[in-house]
Amino acid sequence: MDILETDAYDRRQRRNMTCALLFSLLPFFLSTAVYFYLWTPDSPASIMSAGVKSAPILLLAAVVLSWNRGQSILGVAGGLLFSAVGDCCLIWDELFLYGMGAFAVAHLIYSFAFLSDRYATHSSSSCIRFLYLIQFMIGGGFYIYLYPFLQKEQHSDMLVPAVGVYVFLIVLMSVLAIRTRQTATLFGSLLFIVSDTSLALQVFKVIVPMKHGHAIVMVTYYLAQLLIAVGDVKAMENKDDFAKWKSS
């Protein structure tokens, strides 16, 4: 098989894998559509609403596990599972801190996943390191801006440090997403920050609740998780391609 035939074969394989990935994501898209169809502003908190909200994330975890052949549940799949726990907790206002804790664990798992050998390692240039610093400065600035509003909340003695830790972990996750050089992973991490920022501004009464505030939070959230999951699948695909090239 000459070089041209090999290249054509690789393109066909990539196209087939992309189609297979899109097909495996259909349950995620359908469950997301069901969530937005059933959700209303006055929806009561219930086990059913928690299940409908977390279903798309659980289905994403299943997709990631199926594509990595069930090799590990501690990577992105594990982060998705903890995210689903957080989704369920946030249905009830009194479980907000538990939900935030579950998402904090998810960001920590994502961070470790982005450092694993599943993702190709790249040396960081001075420009990239400066970008890391900018992200942490923006995260710190947002926390300082949020601080007086947190102090007005009930259980502020627990909420103030908890939000500080959470902001650090989500920024760390986004910084390490840059390191992966996976476009989907990077945009997913940034959209996660957009979603959580929008949620924080509304929950802590920094801004007047927006008419479509919930929709903005959930659309960016589901899209963020989708991109992180796809980035993980693509990283595994690229790793396999590299292994094949190395052994040839």
Side-chain angles (χ1 to χ4, degrees):
M1 184 179 291
D2 59 28
I3 295 176
L4 290 178
E5 290 176 335
T6 302
D7 184 57
Y9 174 78
D10 288 341
R11 283 201 303 271
R12 284 197 301 272
Q13 286 292 95
R14 288 181 182 277
R15 187 165 56 249
N16 291 340
M17 290 186 72
T18 299
C19 291
L21 178 58
L22 286 173
F23 182 78
S24 66
L25 288 170
L26 284 179
F28 163 79
F29 292 121
L30 289 173
S31 61
T32 302
V34 168
Y35 170 78
F36 284 109
Y37 178 75
L38 294 178
W39 183 85
T40 57
D42 56 349
S43 297
S46 65
I47 297 296
M48 180 180 177
S49 58
V52 171
K53 183 182 180 183
S54 60
I57 306 304
L58 291 173
L59 289 169
L60 276 181
V63 170
V64 172
L65 282 173
S66 66
W67 278 82
N68 71 15
R69 305 176 190 91
Q71 292 176 0
S72 175
I73 200 172
L74 298 177
V76 166
L80 288 167
L81 291 176
F82 271 96
S83 295
V85 173
D87 285 331
C88 292
C89 291
L90 292 184
I91 289 291
W92 292 272
D93 293 340
E94 61 271 22
L95 297 181
F96 180 82
L97 276 172
Y98 295 99
M100 188 169 64
F103 278 112
V105 174
H107 294 316
L108 193 59
I109 294 175
Y110 286 154
S111 297
F112 280 117
F114 298 159
L115 287 170
S116 69
D117 60 359
R118 175 187 295 273
Y119 294 86
T121 56
H122 300 271
S123 58
S124 298
S125 64
S126 57
C127 182
I128 294 297
R129 293 193 196 98
F130 181 69
L131 189 57
Y132 295 166
L133 178 62
I134 291 295
Q135 282 190 274
F136 276 110
M137 289 176 64
I138 292 174
F142 179 72
Y143 177 69
I144 292 171
Y145 174 71
L146 210 59
Y147 184 80
F149 297 95
L150 295 174
Q151 287 186 311
K152 298 175 185 177
E153 293 290 322
Q154 189 179 15
H155 307 302
S156 60
D157 55 331
M158 296 176 60
L159 200 58
V160 169
V163 171
V165 172
Y166 184 85
V167 170
F168 173 79
L169 289 176
I170 194 171
V171 172
L172 176 65
M173 183 271 291
S174 69
V175 164
L176 294 176
I178 296 175
R179 177 184 176 275
T180 67
R181 306 291 176 91
Q182 288 284 336
T183 304
T185 303
L186 172 58
F187 278 104
S189 69
L190 294 177
L191 278 173
F192 216 133
I193 291 177
V194 171
S195 176
D196 280 3
T197 299
S198 177
L199 178 64
L201 292 175
Q202 295 176 74
V203 168
F204 301 128
K205 303 176 182 66
V206 180
I207 61 174
V208 177
M210 297 178 288
K211 181 179 179 181
H212 301 292
H214 179 81
I216 293 171
V217 170
M218 294 309 298
V219 167
T220 51
Y221 168 68
Y222 282 138
L223 185 55
Q225 296 282 34
L226 171 65
L227 290 173
I228 289 173
V230 169
D232 191 65
V233 171
K234 291 293 185 182
M236 187 66 183
E237 178 185 329
N238 292 339
K239 181 183 175 184
D240 289 343
D241 288 343
F242 178 75
K244 291 174 184 176
W245 173 82
K246 197 172 182 182
S247 62
S248 62

